[in-house]
């Protein structure tokens, strides 16, 4: 039995009990168990060590492990709560819980704020917003002139920076998102509401060109 336990620990560093994770997230125990199967698949896609590395997350999200991607970098950094360069199972489930349809909107707003706060200053600065807008446009295969991008950033700051100090704080962000809810539309992944049903096609999406999701 001792051998079995040590083998399991080697295979799944950072593994946490599904019952505990279900109590701390919007997921049920069976959904956490389904997420564990997904986690095992992602964490062995490049390096089979039971941990998700940045290249593995990028491959899962964008089917490309080498392309520099600011959006993927930010998602990875926020999932990597321990800041140790890898995503463990508990971090994966807790972070993914924010994207659950039943997760509190306040959690989604806070996560999105941290996504844009590239330099971890507690504010969204103009240059950070511009970098994220350019990254998201790039991922969407959209090309806009620099003038149009500047106009988008200027308009956003005009509306969001209510005290006019040149940066967006968390309260200003919360107020801005409440008036523009589409900003956090991508913070909800509908299939997470029943991951046990979506799981087979969700996992396959990292292997095929046309996802079933």
């Amino acid at each position: 039995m001792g051998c079995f336990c040590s083998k399991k620990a080697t295979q799944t560093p950072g593994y946490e009990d599904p019952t505990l994770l279900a109590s701390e997230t919007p997921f049920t125990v069976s959904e956490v168990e389904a997420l564990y199967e997904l986690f095992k698949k992602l964490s062995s896609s490049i390096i089979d060590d039971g941990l998700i590395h940045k290249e593995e997350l990028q491959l899962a999200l964008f089917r490309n492990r080498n392309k520099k991607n600011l959006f993927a970098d930010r998602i990875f950094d926020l999932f990597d709560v321990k800041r140790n360069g890898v995503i463990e199972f508990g971090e994966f489930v807790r972070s993914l819980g924010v994207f659950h349809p039943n997760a509190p909107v306040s959690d989604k707003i806070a996560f999105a704020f941290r996504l844009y706060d590239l330099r971890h200053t507690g504010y969204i600065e103009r240059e950070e917003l511009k970098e994220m807008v350019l990254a998201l446009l790039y991922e969407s295969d959209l090309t806009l002139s620099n003038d149009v991008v500047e106009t988008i950033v200027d308009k956003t700051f005009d509306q969001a920076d209510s005290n006019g100090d040149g940066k967006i704080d968390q309260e200003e962000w919360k107020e801005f998102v409440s008036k523009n809810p589409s900003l956090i539309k991508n913070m909800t992944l509908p299939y997470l509401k029943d991951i046990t049903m979506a799981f087979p096609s969700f996992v396959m999406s990292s292997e095929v060109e046309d996802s079933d999701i």
Side-chain angles (χ1 to χ4, degrees), residues 70-143:
L70 176 63
F71 186 67
D73 285 349
R74 294 301 300 135
I75 291 289
F76 184 87
D77 288 346
L78 293 181
F79 273 52
D80 178 18
V81 179
K82 294 182 180 177
R83 313 291 297 167
N84 59 355
V86 291
I87 299 171
E88 299 175 0
F89 179 56
E91 293 174 319
F92 180 70
V93 175
R94 289 186 180 90
S95 298
L96 210 50
V98 175
F99 293 83
H100 193 287
N102 294 342
V105 173
S106 59
D107 289 355
K108 297 177 186 292
I109 292 173
F111 191 96
F113 181 87
R114 289 161 56 211
L115 195 67
Y116 282 85
D117 180 16
L118 303 179
R119 304 182 210 340
H120 314 290
T121 60
Y123 299 94
I124 299 173
E125 299 172 358
R126 192 183 186 286
E127 195 56 36
E128 292 174 322
L129 179 63
K130 182 178 178 180
E131 284 182 50
M132 282 299 289
V133 168
L134 288 171
L136 293 169
L137 287 172
Y138 181 73
E139 283 312 315
S140 304
D141 291 324
L142 292 174
T143 304

Side-chain angles (χ1 to χ4, degrees), residues 26-59:
F27 297 112
T28 64
V29 173
S30 60
E31 287 170 340
V32 173
E33 289 171 345
L35 284 174
Y36 182 55
E37 295 305 312
L38 170 63
F39 179 85
K40 286 194 295 185
K41 188 172 185 68
L42 296 183
S43 64
S44 62
S45 60
I46 298 175
I47 304 169
D48 191 2
D49 61 356
L51 298 163
I52 295 178
H53 295 254
K54 183 175 288 189
E55 296 82 5
E56 290 172 324
L57 184 69
Q58 187 158 317
L59 182 64

Side-chain angles (χ1 to χ4, degrees), residues 26-28 30-32 34-35 99-102 189-202 213:
F27 297 112
T28 64
S30 60
E31 287 170 340
V32 173
L35 284 174
F99 293 83
H100 193 287
N102 294 342
L189 303 175
Y191 55 78
L192 289 180
K193 196 163 188 175
D194 196 354
I195 190 69
T196 51
M197 294 292 288
F199 169 63
S201 54
F202 183 38
I213 301 299

Side-chain angles (χ1 to χ4, degrees), residues 119-199:
R119 304 182 210 340
H120 314 290
T121 60
Y123 299 94
I124 299 173
E125 299 172 358
R126 192 183 186 286
E127 195 56 36
E128 292 174 322
L129 179 63
K130 182 178 178 180
E131 284 182 50
M132 282 299 289
V133 168
L134 288 171
L136 293 169
L137 287 172
Y138 181 73
E139 283 312 315
S140 304
D141 291 324
L142 292 174
T143 304
L144 299 178
S145 70
N146 191 58
D147 287 346
V148 173
V149 172
E150 292 287 349
T151 300
I152 292 171
V153 174
D154 286 342
K155 186 176 180 181
T156 300
F157 258 80
D158 286 344
Q159 294 177 11
D161 181 19
S162 55
N163 65 9
D165 65 353
K167 53 192 178 186
I168 301 169
D169 62 33
Q170 293 190 46
E171 286 304 313
E172 289 172 329
W173 176 253
K174 196 181 300 182
E175 181 68 21
F176 182 58
V177 172
S178 70
K179 296 175 181 175
N180 301 273
S182 62
L183 283 168
I184 59 166
K185 183 177 67 176
N186 291 339
M187 293 300 300
T188 297
L189 303 175
Y191 55 78
L192 289 180
K193 196 163 188 175
D194 196 354
I195 190 69
T196 51
M197 294 292 288
F199 169 63

